[in-house]
Amino acid sequence: MPELPEVETIVRALRPGITGKTISHVEIFWPRSIVGDCGAFINHVTGREISEVFRRGKYICLLLDDGGHLTIHLRMTGKLIYCPGEKDKKHLRVRFLFNGNTVGVGSKSPGECSLHFIDTRKFGKCQLWPAGEALLPALGPDPLDPGVVLDVLKKITSTRAIKTVLLDQHLLAGIGNIYADEALFAARLHPLTPAREISSIKRGRLSRVLPVILAAAIENKGTTLSDYRLPSSSSGSNQHFLKIYGRDKQPCPNCQTLIRRIVVNGRSSHFCPRCQKNNVPRS
DNA sequence: CCTTAGTCCTGCATGC
DNA sequence: TGCATGCAGGACTAAG
């Protein structure tokens, strides 16, 4: 599942390839991949030049030359792939064709390239935000911005589990299941710890490790567990460095105690029962 | 304020 | 071997 580091990796790869290019054609193969009316989407987007490519939480954002934005959320299985040929036709949902003066990646002719939005489970969404309309207004601040995580954690008065809070995109934008578990392990916090009961020492610890873990994952070009790929269709390598996520019943890298998996807020959560002690009744 | 269940989907794992 | 079942999961919505 693409989270902040995966989306950041994709944005960095996309930026030199499509900035300054014009969207010459859009083809929609699964209409529900578009938020709102498909015809209006095509009409607005076609002929627009890409002014900027950036990330906001888990959203890939394209600033268009008319001041509007095109956002893409990959959810679980979404991918943006340059010129993948015909082999992924089965899961192709939207195809963007670009032309312009910059050098296309994997393109047949100079300045031209196509970008395929491929999404097995069809949960991903493309959305148009007209000029003047606030972009993603409900999204919280970015956990990579200095001081942000500590500020947010300080303000929490909620009794909700810290795992739930980390996944709440209104509070912090971009953290998903993998990096929430990794950060809680590094901070030695049990996922069910009520957020407002976390001591200032542990709050400090969590706010320190979270940006480091995210930055390291970006360095590794993201975590490829199944679907996630770079636009070149190559894999990330951060999966080799995960310490807790997906390691149910395997020994903790710190103390060899067997890692446990529980469900918090409907999401699977992995933790070490010894390193991540619980103040709360029950494991 | 909060939590839970349902919705969207498909591929893969499980069980008989 | 084949078929049925169920599970995962990000964000949103409705219900309690």
Side-chain angles (χ1 to χ4, degrees), chain A residues 4-72:
Chain A
L4 186 154
E6 289 74 33
V7 176
E8 180 63 28
T9 301
I10 291 166
V11 161
R12 288 182 185 185
L14 238 38
R15 192 173 285 138
I18 65 171
T19 306
K21 282 196 176 149
T22 298
I23 302 173
S24 53
H25 283 288
V26 181
E27 288 170 280
I28 299 167
F29 301 96
W30 184 253
R32 271 134 86 85
S33 293
I34 308 294
V35 176
D37 183 71
C38 290
F41 180 88
I42 292 171
N43 286 340
H44 270 89
V45 163
T46 305
R48 296 270 66 82
E49 187 182 301
I50 308 294
S51 306
E52 277 176 45
V53 182
F54 61 99
R55 177 187 61 78
R56 189 89 168 72
K58 301 177 196 173
Y59 291 80
I60 297 154
C61 304
L62 310 182
L63 172 62
L64 307 176
D65 60 1
D66 67 345
H69 289 90
L70 168 52
T71 61
I72 300 159

